[in-house]
Amino acid sequence: MKKLFPLAAAFIALLLCSSHDMYLKLDSFFLQPDSKASILLYNGTFAASENVIDRDRMLDVSIVANGQRNRIDTTNWREDDNVTILDVTTGEPGTYVVGVSTKARTIEMEAEAFNNYLAHDGVQDMLTNRTDNDKLTQDANELYSKHVKAIYQVGDNKTSDWKIKLGYPIEFIPRANPYNLKVGGVLPVQLLLDGKPLANQIVTIDSDGGSHAHGHDHEHADGEEHEHDSEDGHTHDGGTQVRTDANGNFTVNIANDGQWYLRTIHMVEVEDEELTHESNWATLTFEVAHGHDHADGDHAHDGDAHTHADGTTHSHEGDDHHHEEGGLPGYVWWLGSLVLVAILFVYFKRQQA
Amino acid sequence: MNRLAKLLPFLILLAYPMVVSAHGVSDSDQEILNNGGLLAYILVGAKHMVTGYDHLLFLAGVIFYLSGFKDIVRFITVFTIGHSITLIGATYLGIKADEHLIDAVIALSVLYKGFENLKGFEKYFKTQSPNLLFMVFIFGLIHGFGLSTRLQSFAIGTESFLAKIVCFNIGVELGQIAALIPIVFLITRWQKLKSYQAFYKAANVYLIIAGVALFVYQMWGYFNGGH
C-alpha cells in the first residue's frame, strides 16, 4: 500500500497538471478549389482531441479567403468522437485562414497542480514570479480563453490573407506566407497581445513530422489519450521553446515536412475577489510538404499522388502548377534558339550572296 | 586562323546562352532569401536578370537597333528607370498580376522589338514605328512589373521591406550590366563584319519567333495552370 501511494499520487498529479491546448487542423492543409473539406478543432494535444467544444463557447469563427472575412455560424459545427468539426466547401484558389476564439472560462487548481502546469506548458515566467514572491503554496483560480488559427492553401494561387489580423486578444501573425516555405526555410512570425507586439513571451514550436513528434500520447484504460510530462521536464508535445523579441517577433526554422504548430500561453496575475490569474492561449497551425512549395514555378502533377508527412495522401490530377523549372528546360530553349539562329543566319547569308 | 577569328564571335554567341538557363529563380532562391540577408536579394535579383531570357532577348533587340555607345547608355538608362519604377512601386504597394499573363506581355515586347528592327511597321503598316525611347520606357515598366510579380512570389516578410525591394532592384541592375557586356560586345564587333546583315536579319527573325513561342507558352500555362 505504501508503495502504491506515490504512484497513485503521481498519476493524480499528472492528470491535474495536464492542460488542453486547442488547435485547428485539417487532414491535409492543401486543398483543391471548390472541394469539400473538414476543419478539425482539437482540444487536448496536437495528436489527439480529448473533448469537444461547446458552440456557446465560440465567440468567433472566421474563414478569410481572397480578402473576405466570413464569420461562420457556430451551428455549422458537428461532433465526431472528441473532435469538433466544421465542414466547409472551398472556393477560389488562395491562401485561407480559419480562426476560432473562445469565451473565457475559469478553472480552480491546487497550488501544486498549478505549479506543474506552469512549469510544463510554457508559463515558466509565472512560475518564477510565484517562486520569487513566495506564492508557490497558493492555490489558483484562473480565467482562461483560447484563440486559435490555421492557415491552409487552396489550389496554387498564393494570396495575402495569411497576414490578416483577426483581432483576437492574442494572435500569431506570420510575416510571410507559410505556403512559400520548404524544408530549410524560415518563417518569421509576430505575436500580438491586444493588437500590440508581445515581447519576451515564450512560444513553443513543434511539428508532427520532426524529431519532436515522439509519440508521447498515452492511451489509458478509458481509451482517452492525455497529456503529461516526462521526468526530464519537457512538455507532452515536446517542441522547441523560443522567446519573442522586443517587437514580438520570432522565427520558425522549418526542419522537416509536416504539420507545424505554434502555441503560447500568456498569463498575468489579476486583482480580483475570485480570480488569481488570467491567461490567453494562442496556437497557429500550417503545413509544409514536399512538392507543394511552388511559389515560383510550374510543376505538373497530373495523376500524381503524394503521401504527406502525416500519412494523408491526395492526388493532383489536372493540377498543373506554374513552375519555371518545369516544362522546357532552359538549356533546351537556348540550344534550340542557337540552332534556329544559325539556320536563319545561313539562310540569310546565302540569300545575301 | 583568320577564318577562326571570324567565327569566334559566333562561337561565343553559341557558348554564352548554354551557361545560362531560363529564369533560374527557383525554390533554392527562397532559401537564399531566407538566410542571406539583404545581400541575398541582390544575388537573387542579379540571377533573375542574367538567367531571364525574355528580358535579355528584349535588351538584345534594343541594342541591335542602336549604333553608338551613347545611344546604348541612353536607352538602357530609360529601360532601367522604367523597370525600377514598377519593380519598386508595385512590390511596395503589393500590386501584382498573374505571372503567366505578365510574362506573356513581356514575350510580346520581344516580338515587338524583332518586328520593329526588321522595319515591320514600314513594310506592313506603311507607317513609322513609334518613338523607340518612349516604347523602351513603356516596356521597361512592363518588365519591371514582371520582376515585381516574381519578387512578390517569394516570402520576403515585412521587415526591412523597402530595403529588400531596393536590393533586389540593385541586383537586377547588376545582372543587367553583366548580361549586357557580352551582348553589346558581340553585336558591336559583328557590326564590322560582312556577315552582319545576315546576322541582323537572322537574330531579329529569331526574336519574332521567340516572342511568339514565349507568348504561346505563357498563355498555355495560364489556361492550363489551374488558375
Side-chain angles (χ1 to χ4, degrees):
Chain A
M1 189 64 188
K2 277 185 180 176
K3 283 182 181 175
L4 278 176
F5 181 74
L7 284 174
F11 180 64
I12 291 165
L14 290 174
L15 285 176
L16 287 173
C17 76
S18 68
S19 59
H20 290 87
D21 288 314
M22 185 180 284
Y23 299 99
L24 279 162
K25 294 176 64 176
L26 291 95
D27 285 340
S28 169
F29 286 61
F30 297 93
L31 305 174
Q32 293 301 310
D34 303 313
S35 65
K36 291 186 185 303
S38 295
I39 295 169
L40 315 174
L41 185 62
Y42 272 39
N43 199 42
T45 67
F46 190 77
S49 183
E50 292 173 30
N51 60 266
V52 296
I53 300 299
D54 294 335
R55 307 314 171 266
D56 62 4
R57 271 185 78 183
M58 297 178 184
L59 276 179
D60 177 70
V61 181
S62 291
I63 294 180
V64 183
N66 292 302
Q68 296 246 321
R69 178 174 181 172
N70 296 309
R71 286 190 165 79
I72 310 298
D73 192 328
T74 55
T75 56
N76 289 342
W77 292 86
R78 64 182 171 88
E79 295 170 7
D80 186 8
D81 203 1
N82 287 321
V83 182
T84 319
I85 301 170
L86 179 65
D87 294 315
V88 295
T89 302
T90 61
E92 294 289 309
T95 306
Y96 284 45
V97 176
V98 58
V100 172
S101 178
T102 66
K103 281 180 189 168
R105 278 186 165 186
T106 56
I107 183 170
E108 287 185 46
M109 298 182 86
E110 290 185 357
E112 191 179 348
F114 188 64
N115 295 337
N116 280 330
Y117 144 58
L118 298 179
H120 302 303
D121 276 285
V123 207
Q124 288 97 324
D125 291 340
M126 183 54 69
L127 185 62
T128 304
N129 174 281
R130 280 167 67 83
T131 307
D132 293 346
N133 293 290
D134 202 20
K135 294 178 178 175
L136 285 173
T137 55
Q138 291 182 6
D139 295 342
N141 190 14
E142 180 193 352
L143 182 74
Y144 68 96
S145 58
K146 301 176 183 180
H147 317 282
V148 296
K149 285 166 69 172
I151 303 175
Y152 56 100
Q153 181 61 40
V154 175
D156 301 319
N157 189 26
K158 311 282 168 52
T159 52
S160 59
D161 297 298
W162 49 268
K163 59 175 82 163
I164 182 113
K165 293 174 186 171
L166 294 175
Y168 293 163
I170 191 167
E171 188 173 357
F172 288 109
I173 309 288
R175 302 185 71 182
N177 190 336
Y179 292 94
N180 284 333
L181 283 172
K182 63 180 293 187
V183 173
V186 175
L187 178 68
V189 183
Q190 188 175 38
L191 180 61
L192 301 180
L193 181 73
D194 296 325
K196 293 173 186 165
L198 178 56
N200 201 33
Q201 171 70 19
I202 295 171
V203 174
T204 305
I205 302 165
D206 205 356
S207 79
D208 69 351
S211 57
H212 289 300
H214 43 44
H216 275 216
D217 305 323
H218 297 265
E219 195 163 327
H220 291 263
D222 58 3
E224 277 198 13
E225 291 177 353
H226 81 136
E227 171 181 30
H228 68 80
D229 311 291
S230 63
E231 287 177 359
D232 62 2
H234 68 259
T235 59
H236 179 96
D237 279 339
T240 305
Q241 285 193 340
V242 296
R243 276 191 187 270
T244 58
D245 68 12
N247 294 315
N249 293 317
F250 63 99
T251 54
V252 182
N253 296 313
I254 305 299
N256 52 268
D257 286 335
Q259 296 189 354
W260 283 80
Y261 51 98
L262 321 176
R263 66 186 180 91
T264 192
I265 301 172
H266 178 259
M267 186 181 288
V268 291
E269 286 183 311
V270 291
E271 290 186 12
D272 187 276
E273 284 184 4
E274 294 180 358
L275 298 172
T276 59
H277 298 81
E278 181 178 354
S279 66
N280 280 290
W281 303 38
T283 62
L284 173 69
T285 48
F286 57 92
E287 184 170 359
V288 177
H290 77 281
H292 282 290
D293 180 20
H294 303 304
D296 54 319
D298 259 359
H299 208 80
H301 289 290
D302 295 348
D304 179 15
H306 287 267
T307 301
H308 288 265
D310 62 352
T312 58
T313 302
H314 68 254
S315 69
H316 294 273
E317 195 163 355
D319 179 9
D320 191 6
H321 301 257
H322 177 61
H323 196 311
E324 282 184 339
E325 290 179 336
L328 198 63
Y331 72 90
V332 173
W333 168 268
W334 283 113
L335 207 60
S337 297
L338 287 168
V339 171
L340 183 57
V341 172
I343 291 168
L344 288 167
F345 176 72
V346 171
Y347 171 77
F348 287 117
K349 190 91 171 49
R350 282 187 179 173
Q351 207 180 45
Q352 202 175 13
Chain B
M1 191 67 190
N2 192 31
R3 204 170 170 186
L4 186 67
K6 281 182 181 175
L7 276 173
L8 195 61
F10 188 69
L11 290 173
I12 293 169
L13 186 68
L14 266 171
Y16 175 68
M18 291 181 190
V19 299
V20 298
S21 58
H23 275 284
V25 178
S26 64
D27 291 346
S28 63
D29 293 318
Q30 182 66 60
E31 281 185 60
I32 295 170
L33 295 180
N34 287 341
N35 305 310
L38 290 176
L39 201 62
Y41 284 81
I42 296 176
L43 182 70
V44 172
K47 187 181 171 190
H48 184 73
M49 197 63 187
V50 171
T51 61
Y53 44 59
D54 42 8
H55 306 300
L56 296 184
L57 292 179
F58 177 75
L59 282 172
V62 172
I63 289 164
F64 262 118
Y65 185 85
L66 308 172
S67 49
F69 185 70
K70 267 189 182 176
D71 248 6
I72 291 171
V73 171
R74 196 156 61 100
F75 277 80
I76 297 306
T77 303
V78 166
F79 182 72
T80 301
I81 291 168
H83 75 231
S84 296
I85 289 171
T86 39
L87 170 53
I88 295 173
T91 311
Y92 190 73
L93 297 171
I95 303 165
K96 61 179 177 178
D98 183 278
E99 286 182 25
H100 288 294
L101 289 182
I102 189 68
D103 283 347
V105 178
I106 290 171
L108 289 179
S109 74
V110 175
L111 187 158
Y112 175 91
K113 201 67 210 75
F115 182 75
E116 188 197 29
N117 285 349
L118 292 170
K119 302 202 178 301
F121 283 95
E122 288 84 348
K123 273 187 200 168
Y124 299 102
F125 302 130
K126 309 294 178 202
T127 179
Q128 282 207 324
S129 54
N131 181 286
L132 182 60
L133 203 59
F134 175 74
M135 290 310 292
V136 166
F137 178 71
I138 297 295
F139 285 132
L141 293 174
I142 293 166
H143 281 246
F145 191 40
L147 291 162
S148 168
T149 300
R150 184 53 42 85
L151 177 58
Q152 290 180 72
S153 71
F154 289 116
I156 62 176
T158 51
E159 201 173 335
S160 306
F161 189 56
L162 187 59
K164 286 173 180 171
I165 303 167
V166 171
C167 283
F168 184 83
N169 198 21
I170 290 169
V172 165
E173 307 319 332
L174 292 175
Q176 183 174 281
I177 291 166
L180 280 174
I181 288 169
I183 293 171
V184 171
F185 175 78
L186 276 171
I187 292 174
T188 51
R189 292 281 294 182
W190 210 318
Q191 280 172 343
K192 294 166 188 164
L193 301 176
K194 278 185 182 175
S195 58
Y196 179 69
Q197 272 310 311
F199 174 62
Y200 182 92
K201 282 184 184 172
N204 283 295
V205 169
Y206 162 74
L207 287 184
I208 293 173
I209 295 169
V212 171
L214 284 171
F215 178 78
V216 171
Y217 177 68
Q218 294 298 343
M219 293 311 290
W220 184 88
Y222 176 72
F223 287 113
N224 296 282
H227 290 273

